[in-house]
Amino acid sequence: MTFPEIKIGQPRPPTWRERLSAYLMLVRLNRPIGIFLLMWPALWALWLAGNGHPPWQIVMIFVIGVVLMRSAGCAINDFADRKVDAHVTRTKERPLAKGTVTPQEAVIIFLALSLTAFVLVLQLNWQTVALSVVALLLTFIYPFMKRFTHVPQLFLGAAFGWAIPMAFMAVNESIPNLAWLLFIATLIWALIYDTQYAMVDREDDVQVGIKSTAILFGQWDRVVIALLQLLFLSLLLGIGLNAGRGAWFIGGLALALGFAVYQQWLIHHREPNACFQAFLNNNYLGMTVFLGLVFDYALGG
């Protein structure tokens, strides 16, 4: 009597559900915080550009585009970090680090999502289409900057903030100085929340040679973040007043200031989990600024 040969040590191929789960993890649809941090500045810009009534077709294009480009950014980020993520506690379970997604698949997903976003933006005017090429370049180069500079957060801020000039161009076919001030404010905001994010991985990043503002600022990290928070909120106040906004908008900024103070309390001891919670809290900060704009245009006249 013979028995079938049993091969030991060969893993079974993943099921389609396991592969789908790995792809969803690659683009972080299970962690939507990045979508929100990219979306709030775009919505601020759309409401300011549209004087409280932006065309809904343009709003939907930007919302869908935000989801697509953030997902594409995650795919190319993990491709860039595929050799170091396995050595960082927080990222060692990512699909490329574990081998459940190949580098080639990550690049294909990045290209497919980027192309889909580009097709979407083709519905807008040609100036906005031209600006979208810059957005794609910023999305691509940001993940590689942490190898060359201690301020990769500036490139992240530029990538996340580029939706602002695009929004003004899509709605008004022009980019006023107010839009560029909002772009600078968003860039500063990215320095704030991504430094908090980098504080989580600071020890691992030092060991693997990854650069960040958390490493650059060192013991002055909390002070620098506090100064950047004041500058960010002051810029938003100036932008709102320049745009004729009133009490509802200022009330939203007051709530945002409260969230900034809470974030300072969270990062006081530089405990990694608390720093990560501070990073996540920026979603509520961005939302209060947006709601302040919405209510001010709707109720403040």
Side-chain angles (χ1 to χ4, degrees), residues 33-65:
I33 178 63
I35 293 174
F36 296 133
L37 294 176
L38 177 54
M39 189 173 298
W40 295 128
L43 292 176
W44 302 342
L46 287 167
W47 253 252
L48 286 167
N51 200 29
H53 298 90
W56 282 106
Q57 180 186 5
I58 293 179
V59 172
M60 291 308 301
I61 288 173
F62 271 81
V63 168
I64 297 171

Side-chain angles (χ1 to χ4, degrees), residues 43-55 164 167-172 174 176 178 297:
L43 292 176
W44 302 342
L46 287 167
W47 253 252
L48 286 167
N51 200 29
H53 298 90
I164 292 168
F168 275 89
M169 184 62 76
V171 175
N172 296 329
S174 64
L178 182 143
Y297 277 113

Side-chain angles (χ1 to χ4, degrees), residues 119-161:
V119 170
L120 190 66
V121 84
L122 287 176
Q123 300 177 62
L124 304 174
N125 56 50
W126 71 267
Q127 298 98 321
T128 308
V129 174
L131 288 172
S132 72
V133 177
V134 179
L136 177 60
L137 291 174
L138 289 170
T139 301
F140 178 78
I141 67 173
Y142 156 68
F144 300 94
M145 289 300 102
K146 64 190 76 172
R147 287 154 182 76
F148 306 108
T149 174
H150 278 290
V151 287
Q153 285 76 12
L154 286 176
F155 293 88
L156 175 71
F160 274 33

Side-chain angles (χ1 to χ4, degrees), residues 31-41 43-44 66 70 160 189-190 192-194 196 229 232 236 252 255-256 259-260 262-263 266 275-292:
R31 296 181 180 273
I33 178 63
I35 293 174
F36 296 133
L37 294 176
L38 177 54
M39 189 173 298
W40 295 128
L43 292 176
W44 302 342
V66 160
R70 187 266 183 166
F160 274 33
W189 189 34
I192 294 165
Y193 62 67
D194 210 48
Q196 295 167 344
Q229 287 172 324
F232 165 61
L236 287 182
L255 287 174
F259 284 122
Y262 176 59
Q263 291 167 22
L266 283 171
C275 291
F276 188 68
Q277 292 305 312
F279 160 73
L280 294 176
N281 185 260
N282 281 277
N283 175 41
Y284 300 110
L285 189 153
M287 179 176 61
T288 58
V289 174
F290 174 61
L291 291 178

Side-chain angles (χ1 to χ4, degrees), residues 234-258:
S234 297
L235 276 173
L236 287 182
L237 177 61
I239 291 166
L241 294 177
N242 184 265
R245 297 303 91 220
W248 285 97
F249 176 72
I250 294 173
L253 287 185
L255 287 174
L257 175 60

